[in-house]
Amino acid sequence: MFAVGVLCLVAGLIFAGVSVSFLTDAQRARGTVVALDWQEDHDGGSRMAHGDDAPAAYPVVEFTSVDGTPRKFRDSAGSNPPAYEVGEQVEVLYRPDSPEDARIKGFLSLWLLPLIFGGIGLVFTGIGTGFALAARRRRA
């Protein structure tokens, strides 16, 4: 259990590093939520929903990159109830060298995976450490 916890902690740190790197290099733009893409998400993707079969609303956002090109993307984080409304203005973050890799500047889009993996890692590492300490005390 301890090993699984450590692996999850490492994965959480890697995801956090990816988010920090993305934030460091990201260009900012104003965007507009133009649609909500409702999806049944049975693969356990990054969404928050009420119930296993509840669909999640993924915001579809339009923005104009610094080169003047109109862009459209679907955010990677969906939720139920929807976190955004059609017509809502949002701040978009994207890499200038790959503007198709865009995200809404929001907690879910940037920090959900690091928190999930880090939290699971802490719990499993704590349980594994507790078992190891209990076994050591029994031997002593």
Side-chain angles (χ1 to χ4, degrees), residues 64-129:
T64 303
S65 58
V66 73
D67 64 1
T69 306
R71 308 274 181 181
K72 186 190 258 188
F73 72 96
R74 186 187 99 158
D75 198 52
S76 61
S79 62
N80 187 353
Y84 301 95
E85 295 179 6
V86 173
E88 185 174 345
Q89 298 288 306
V90 294
E91 188 169 1
V92 174
L93 301 173
Y94 68 95
R95 293 183 193 270
D97 56 340
S98 60
E100 63 280 351
D101 180 22
R103 301 179 198 174
I104 293 175
K105 182 183 176 188
F107 182 80
L108 285 178
S109 298
L110 297 169
W111 303 111
L112 184 62
L113 285 177
L115 285 175
I116 288 172
F117 278 93
I120 290 170
L122 285 173
V123 169
F124 276 59
T125 303
I127 291 170
T129 301

Side-chain angles (χ1 to χ4, degrees), residues 19-39:
S19 288
V20 169
S21 172
F22 182 81
L23 286 169
T24 302
D25 299 337
Q27 188 80 25
R28 297 182 189 314
R30 295 299 306 161
T32 304
V33 176
V34 295
L36 295 176
D37 185 13
W38 287 90
Q39 296 280 318

